[in-house]
């Protein structure tokens, strides 16, 4: 554990004590490791419980790297929005203006970023399947491979009328970055986000299946699935990071260091449309909105890959932040399973909503 520089009876200290109880003693039947980092108005706390390697029994540490899966989308959205801020593309540009003949004209850049494009979700029929993943995890996939299934299926709805998360949106966003800049999307993410913020433990590994030291191993029903080709996720999920780097990114994002306030506001813009699987839309451009039981609105992104669940969550003023890694014992199909829901709601249970007129974008 690494810990509190402020008294434990402060609101943040109480929150951390509650989170620490939820983290519990790992490994167990639910997770081989849990790492959390909680920042509030009264201080910052980190906790790591479990093992980084079942074979050696080495304890997990809070400085170790892990695959962040869908949290990659937040970095990608920030990169696309920075290009829009420079006037190199428009959010209301039809994607086909930059990538001819790929998508219907009604699919705009904005609709890729906020998942209102209508593109079908292909992950439920392939990428989430453990048997398929184990058979193909060392294959190399191109962006065309990753979006082929979505493009073969009809649109789920007229673009802009509903919302449905699908990784194809962000694979295409990566293709868009490359077409507009002439550079690999990884180079643009590094130049626009990673290097300016000093995120030295964060990387886009491309097709390299190995993990940079030190790292947490991931398992699925006892099979070590840590090493696999990141190209299976592409621009929608290939990145590697640490809780400290993710917290630094989250703090900088909400402080306006990554994007100016008007462009950050675009990340928090949720369209007034239904979600295709029920309920209202909740996805902005690279950030999801959630209403917690205490009435607090938070923003973040969850990542799920075989062997790793991770996420970033913050209030709109950025003063209260939570970053987590859960190494589950099995893949599962939920982006935010019950353990993660409990960690997040516990972390923010004692934090007050941002004051009116504060530094946030809401």
């Amino acid at each position: 554990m690494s810990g509190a520089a402020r008294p434990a009876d402060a609101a943040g200290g109480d929150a951390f004590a509650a989170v620490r109880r939820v983290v519990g003693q790992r490994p167990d039947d639910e997770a081989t490791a849990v790492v959390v980092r909680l920042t509030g108005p009264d201080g910052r706390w980190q906790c790591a419980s479990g093992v980084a390697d079942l074979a050696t029994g080495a304890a997990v540490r809070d400085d170790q790297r892990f695959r962040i899966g869908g949290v990659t989308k937040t970095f990608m959205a920030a990169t696309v929005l920075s290009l829009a801020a420079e006037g190199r593309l428009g959010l209301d540009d039809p994607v086909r203006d930059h990538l001819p003949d790929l998508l219907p004209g009604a699919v705009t850049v904005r609709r890729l970023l906020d998942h209102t494009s209508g593109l079908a979700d292909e992950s439920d029929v392939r990428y989430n399947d453990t048997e398929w993943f184990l058979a193909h995890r060392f294959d190399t996939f191109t962006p065309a491979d990753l979006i082929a299934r979505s493009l073969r299926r009809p649109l789920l709805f007229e673009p802009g009328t509903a919302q449905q998360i699908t990784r194809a949106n962000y694979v295409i966003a990566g293709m868009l970055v490359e077409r507009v800049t002439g550079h690999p999307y990884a180079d643009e993410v590094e130049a626009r986000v990673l290097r300016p913020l000093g995120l030295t433990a964060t990387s886009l590994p491309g097709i390299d299946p190995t993990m940079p030291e030190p790292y947490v191993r991931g398992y699925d029903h006892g099979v070590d699935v840590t090493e696999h080709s990141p190209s299976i996720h592409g621009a929608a999920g290939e990145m590697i990071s640490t809780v400290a780097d993710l917290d630094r990114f989250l703090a900088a994002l909400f402080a306006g260091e990554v994007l100016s306030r008007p462009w950050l506001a675009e990340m928090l813009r949720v369209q007034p449309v239904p979600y295709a699987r029920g309920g209202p839309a909740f996805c902005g451009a690279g950030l999801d909105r959630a209403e917690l039981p205490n009435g607090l609105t938070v923003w973040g992104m969850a990542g799920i890959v075989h062997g790793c669940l991770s996420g970033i969550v913050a209030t709109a003023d950025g003063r209260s932040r939570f970053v987590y890694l859960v190494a589950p014992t099995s893949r599962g199909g939920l982006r935010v399973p019950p353990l993660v829901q409990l960690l997040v709601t516990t972390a923010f249970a004692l934090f007050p909503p941002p004051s009116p007129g504060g530094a946030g974008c809401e």
Side-chain angles (χ1 to χ4, degrees), residues 78-119:
T79 299
V80 173
L81 289 168
S82 72
L83 290 169
E86 294 171 2
R88 302 179 70 176
L89 53 78
L91 295 184
D92 294 319
D93 290 353
V95 173
R96 68 190 308 167
D97 286 358
H98 304 280
L99 297 168
D101 303 322
L102 185 66
L103 297 171
V107 179
T108 63
V109 174
R110 187 193 307 276
R111 288 169 180 168
L112 287 181
L113 298 182
D114 67 11
H115 295 288
T116 60
S117 67
L119 285 172

Side-chain angles (χ1 to χ4, degrees), residues 284-356:
L287 289 171
D288 293 348
R289 181 178 65 197
E291 308 292 334
L292 299 184
N294 65 347
L296 191 63
T297 298
V298 293
W299 297 86
M301 181 57 64
I304 176 170
V305 298
H306 289 270
C308 185
L309 299 169
S310 63
I312 55 175
V313 190
T315 52
D317 64 355
R319 296 184 64 215
S320 300
R321 306 185 302 277
F322 186 61
V323 179
Y324 63 86
L325 158 69
V326 174
T329 54
S330 61
R331 166 65 164 77
L334 297 176
R335 295 172 67 232
V336 186
L339 172 58
V340 171
Q341 293 180 37
L342 184 57
L343 283 168
V344 172
T345 56
T346 303
F348 288 94
L350 298 179
F351 289 159
S355 59

Side-chain angles (χ1 to χ4, degrees), residues 5-341:
R6 302 298 293 271
D9 60 353
D14 288 346
F16 181 69
V19 169
R20 187 165 52 190
R21 288 192 291 271
V22 176
V23 169
Q25 296 298 314
R26 313 288 172 165
D28 61 6
D29 291 341
E30 193 168 27
T32 57
V34 178
V35 182
V36 298
R37 181 179 174 103
L38 173 63
T39 302
D42 296 298
R44 177 181 296 142
W45 299 262
Q46 292 188 174
C47 174
S49 177
V51 295
D53 186 330
L54 286 177
T56 67
V60 68
R61 305 198 314 264
D62 55 30
D63 65 341
Q64 290 176 307
R65 292 173 171 88
F66 49 90
R67 299 189 188 279
I68 67 173
V71 181
T72 302
K73 294 195 288 291
T74 311
F75 288 85
M76 287 300 308
T79 299
V80 173
L81 289 168
S82 72
L83 290 169
E86 294 171 2
R88 302 179 70 176
L89 53 78
L91 295 184
D92 294 319
D93 290 353
V95 173
R96 68 190 308 167
D97 286 358
H98 304 280
L99 297 168
D101 303 322
L102 185 66
L103 297 171
V107 179
T108 63
V109 174
R110 187 193 307 276
R111 288 169 180 168
L112 287 181
L113 298 182
D114 67 11
H115 295 288
T116 60
S117 67
L119 285 172
D121 178 15
E122 81 293 347
S123 60
D124 58 339
V125 296
R126 187 161 67 160
Y127 298 103
N128 290 353
D129 181 75
T130 295
E131 183 177 354
W132 183 92
F133 174 81
L134 292 176
H136 296 280
R137 62 178 170 141
F138 293 113
D139 295 354
T140 297
F141 295 83
T142 66
D145 294 331
L146 297 180
I147 64 175
R149 292 177 71 90
S150 283
L151 296 187
R152 284 198 298 266
R153 297 167 70 180
L155 292 179
L156 294 175
F157 46 81
E158 183 68 22
T161 64
Q163 187 175 78
Q164 168 68 65
I165 294 174
T166 175
R167 72 184 65 202
N169 286 318
Y170 274 79
V171 173
I172 296 170
M175 298 166 64
L176 184 65
V177 169
E178 297 189 346
R179 177 61 60 89
V180 169
T181 67
H183 305 139
Y185 69 78
D187 291 355
E188 291 295 322
V189 174
E190 290 170 358
R192 294 170 180 272
V193 183
L194 305 190
R195 288 200 294 273
L197 298 183
L199 304 183
T200 57
T202 304
S203 60
L204 294 95
I207 62 172
D208 184 353
T210 64
M211 290 282 291
E213 295 279 359
Y215 63 89
V216 181
R217 289 189 173 275
Y219 302 87
D220 194 342
H221 293 93
V223 178
D224 188 336
V225 293
T226 310
E227 293 193 354
H228 62 266
S229 174
S231 69
I232 201 171
H233 314 297
E238 73 159 271
M239 293 179 70
I240 293 167
S241 192
T242 64
V243 292
D245 266 18
L246 290 178
D247 184 50
R248 165 64 179 137
F249 169 62
L250 195 56
L253 183 64
F254 282 95
E257 295 179 40
V258 179
L259 297 167
S260 65
R261 295 290 178 181
W263 293 102
L264 175 58
E266 290 292 342
M267 299 187 79
L268 309 184
R269 187 187 305 277
V270 177
Q271 301 299 326
V273 297
Y275 194 77
R277 294 179 179 174
F282 57 88
C283 302
L287 289 171
D288 293 348
R289 181 178 65 197
E291 308 292 334
L292 299 184
N294 65 347
L296 191 63
T297 298
V298 293
W299 297 86
M301 181 57 64
I304 176 170
V305 298
H306 289 270
C308 185
L309 299 169
S310 63
I312 55 175
V313 190
T315 52
D317 64 355
R319 296 184 64 215
S320 300
R321 306 185 302 277
F322 186 61
V323 179
Y324 63 86
L325 158 69
V326 174
T329 54
S330 61
R331 166 65 164 77
L334 297 176
R335 295 172 67 232
V336 186
L339 172 58
V340 171
Q341 293 180 37

